[in-house]
Amino acid sequence: MPDSPPEEVDETGGPDLISFADMPARLEAAGLKRVSAQRCRQLAEEDPDWPVPISQALKVGRIRLFDWRVIEPYFRARKSRQGQRTDIRPKPGPSEE
């Protein structure tokens, strides 16, 4: 499409594609907290702030690929809630009902 913005490219002329398996090492190399590949996949499936819907990621065989330049800012801005239960909510107190 001529009206769409140009896609960012790396030195070789294409996007910097990585898989979930590549993400932990890439995060660590970027000075960010290492997150397991399984957790990256879970974030992609469940976090509404994930920048590329998993259904729109490039798929090669069974592997999903994401452009690192789109994913890295997400991890830089993400607030870690280590140890916080996200599957339960506190019961409302008397003033909240």
Side-chain angles (χ1 to χ4, degrees):
M1 290 198 226
D3 294 334
S4 62
E7 185 175 331
E8 291 185 35
V9 293
D10 68 7
E11 306 80 42
T12 61
D16 186 8
L17 298 177
I18 63 169
S19 67
F20 288 118
D22 300 328
M23 286 183 193
R26 187 67 72 96
L27 288 167
E28 195 170 52
L32 297 168
K33 182 179 182 296
R34 187 179 180 98
V35 177
S36 72
Q38 293 84 358
R39 179 65 175 142
C40 290
R41 180 180 252 314
Q42 182 183 27
L43 289 169
E45 292 172 346
E46 298 175 0
D47 190 347
D49 294 331
W50 184 262
V52 180
I54 198 165
S55 62
Q56 295 178 10
L58 179 62
K59 189 173 181 184
V60 178
R62 295 177 50 183
I63 298 172
R64 304 270 181 187
L65 298 174
F66 299 89
D67 188 346
W68 172 245
R69 287 176 302 251
V70 174
I71 300 300
E72 181 185 19
Y74 164 81
F75 280 104
R76 289 202 182 278
R78 184 172 170 272
K79 300 278 190 246
S80 177
R81 300 182 314 217
Q82 188 171 1
Q84 180 179 347
R85 296 279 306 260
T86 57
D87 60 335
I88 59 173
R89 301 277 184 245
K91 294 181 180 177
S95 62
E96 297 175 2
E97 293 178 341

